[in-house]
Amino acid sequence: MKIIQLVLIYLFAFLMLAGAFNHIYAPETYKEFIPNFIPETLANILSTIAEAIVGIALIIPKYRKCGGLGFALLMIIFLPIHIWDFTKEIPAIGSKVAATVRIAVQLLFIAAGWWIYKSYQSKG
């Protein structure tokens, strides 16, 4: 079970760091996901910082427990955006089916982050 958890930890760390990089490299990718009442540049900057911190925390054994909690919390914060996207006539993610799958994946991500948080003992 520990091997599966480590694979997920590194997968989530990669996804977080890749997302942080992409918020800088191609911020227009996220334009349709950002509600009109949130400034686009601010959303990209905050997402970059949060995703980078969580990704790095997941990699460093001493901070993994916090990284797991951070990952779960970040996925909770992003969940309303995915629900909002689902309510659109044509979701930014592509289709209603893709939006439904994305919400289900988001819930799995929340559970996985919580699992890491609850089970990982930080060293030091």
Side-chain angles (χ1 to χ4, degrees), residues 19-90:
F21 173 79
N22 202 49
H23 275 286
I24 295 167
Y25 181 73
E28 66 279 356
T29 305
Y30 303 97
K31 182 178 177 117
E32 294 300 316
F33 290 101
I34 301 170
N36 294 338
F37 59 88
I38 299 174
E40 193 176 321
T41 302
L42 179 63
N44 277 304
I45 290 169
L46 294 177
S47 293
T48 299
I49 293 167
E51 290 174 5
I53 289 170
V54 169
I56 291 166
L58 286 169
I59 292 170
I60 301 170
K62 181 177 180 178
Y63 300 108
R64 257 187 210 145
K65 187 172 181 104
C66 290
L69 180 60
F71 184 77
L73 292 174
L74 195 56
M75 296 303 104
I76 289 169
I77 290 167
F78 289 163
L79 183 60
I81 292 169
H82 296 298
I83 293 170
W84 172 71
D85 188 45
F86 173 81
T87 66
K88 294 179 183 176
E89 188 173 328
I90 301 172

Side-chain angles (χ1 to χ4, degrees), residues 7-30:
V7 168
L8 285 175
I9 286 167
Y10 284 109
L11 173 65
F12 296 153
F14 171 78
L15 291 173
M16 291 288 94
L17 294 171
F21 173 79
N22 202 49
H23 275 286
I24 295 167
Y25 181 73
E28 66 279 356
T29 305
Y30 303 97

